[in-house]
Amino acid sequence: MQAESVESKGYQIIEPSSLGMLTAHPDKHAFAVAMLQWLVQGLQAELKEQLRGVEISIIRVEYQGAYPALGIRYVNESNDLGKLIEQTADRLLQERSVSDFAAFLVREKVDWARRTADLMSK
């Protein structure tokens, strides 16, 4: 998934409550972006067909400062899936292990600091 500016498209914003401590601190944004990308992959695997016609991206949100969050864009007319996605994201963050996240980081080989800087500069 590409990180995109919220200004380029209309998004429904999803902010997993358990990541609030990371998104609230700019020096933790790279870690938050990595966790959000891991979460996007988990949501896609978990919700599969329910996400048909829905794009989930990591976006820059501005509200009393800028921070990363999940953005949902409905490509086709679809039911509002915000609550389902938010609940599933919170559950995945509680149930999945740190070793799952570590394996994701090793597998992805992304420069999270650079990706975050690109996202937050838009």
Side-chain angles (χ1 to χ4, degrees):
M1 288 265 135
Q2 290 282 29
E4 299 185 38
S5 170
V6 81
E7 294 138 16
S8 65
K9 298 178 183 177
Y11 286 96
Q12 180 177 7
I13 299 167
I14 302 293
E15 302 173 89
S17 57
S18 56
L19 295 184
M21 65 195 123
L22 295 174
T23 59
H25 300 282
D27 62 327
K28 306 290 187 261
H29 283 175
F31 191 70
V33 168
M35 288 203 77
L36 288 168
Q37 186 61 52
W38 176 61
L39 194 52
V40 166
Q41 290 184 5
L43 288 166
Q44 291 170 333
E46 183 86 10
L47 298 175
K48 296 178 186 160
E49 289 300 313
Q50 293 175 45
L51 294 180
R52 182 173 293 219
V54 176
E55 293 177 358
I56 303 176
S57 301
I58 302 169
I59 60 171
R60 178 182 188 251
V61 175
E62 286 193 50
Y63 179 77
Q64 297 181 348
Y67 59 93
L70 294 177
I72 302 170
R73 190 169 87 76
Y74 299 93
V75 178
N76 304 320
E77 288 189 33
S78 180
N79 292 329
D80 182 353
L81 298 177
K83 192 68 169 172
L84 172 66
I85 292 170
E86 185 174 5
Q87 290 172 341
T88 304
D90 285 333
R91 181 177 53 75
L92 289 174
L93 287 167
Q94 290 174 1
E95 292 176 357
R96 305 231 5 231
S97 72
V98 173
S99 61
D100 288 341
F101 179 59
F104 164 81
L105 290 175
V106 169
R107 183 176 61 248
E108 291 299 307
K109 296 180 175 58
V110 172
D111 181 342
W112 295 106
R114 173 181 236 116
R115 179 149 183 226
T116 302
D118 290 348
L119 172 69
M120 300 309 290
S121 68
K122 293 181 181 182

